[in-house]
Amino acid sequence: MPTPRETILAALHARLSALPATALRGDALPERVPAGGLLILRDGEPGEPEVTLSPLRYHYQHRAEIEAVVQGAARDATFDTLCAGIGAAIAADRTLGGLCDWVEAEAPRPVDLPVEGAASLKAAVIPVILHYTTADPLG
C-alpha cells in the first residue's frame, strides 16, 4: 500500500496529466519539448514536520516542484497559458480529493534559456506546497 506522501504526489501528477502539456514525474528534460509544453513534477522536500501527541501525528508542509518548459515562437503566450492551467487545476480541488489539507502553488520565476540552433526555451520552477498529516513519517 502506498504511503500518504506517494498517494498525494501521484494525485498531483494525475491533475497535471489532464493539462494539454506533457506531464512527467521525476524524469530528465527530454531533447524535444512538445508543442503544448512540458511539465516535470519533482517530489521535492517534505521538510521538518510539526508533531502533535495523543494521538501522534506529523503535520507536513511538503514542498514539491513543477518544472514548466515551453519552446517555440509563441513561447510567452504558451508559458502564460500553461501556468494559468496549473493554477486552475490546483484551485479546482485544493485537497486533491481529500488527500491533503491544502495545496497551494507559488509564483514561477521564468527564465529564457538559449538553445543552439533552435528556438530558446522559456522555463520556470513552480513550487507547490502540500499540507498533509500522517501518523508515521515513513508510512
Side-chain angles (χ1 to χ4, degrees):
M1 183 166 163
T3 63
R5 175 182 55 252
E6 177 59 27
T7 304
I8 290 166
L9 289 168
L12 179 58
H13 182 254
R15 283 241 167 231
L16 297 174
S17 296
L19 296 172
T22 300
L24 306 174
R25 182 162 173 215
D27 290 342
L29 182 66
E31 288 186 25
R32 295 179 190 233
V33 175
L38 177 69
L39 301 172
I40 303 174
L41 175 62
R42 304 283 178 203
D43 290 358
E45 176 68 34
E48 285 294 319
E50 288 187 30
V51 179
T52 56
L53 304 173
S54 189
L56 180 62
R57 295 287 182 257
Y58 299 87
H59 309 278
Y60 286 96
Q61 291 184 22
H62 186 127
R63 185 181 183 92
E65 295 181 334
I66 301 169
E67 294 177 11
V69 183
V70 297
Q71 187 174 26
R75 69 182 178 275
D76 291 330
T78 304
F79 183 80
D80 186 58
T81 301
L82 187 58
C83 287
I86 293 168
I90 290 172
D93 182 6
R94 291 209 180 261
T95 65
L96 296 176
L99 298 172
C100 279
D101 296 325
W102 191 254
V103 178
E104 61 184 310
E106 295 179 357
R109 291 188 208 143
V111 295
D112 288 319
L113 304 171
V115 177
E116 191 173 324
S120 66
L121 300 173
K122 186 164 191 165
V125 172
I126 302 170
V128 177
I129 311 303
L130 307 164
H131 299 261
Y132 61 90
T133 300
T134 182
D136 183 351
L138 296 178

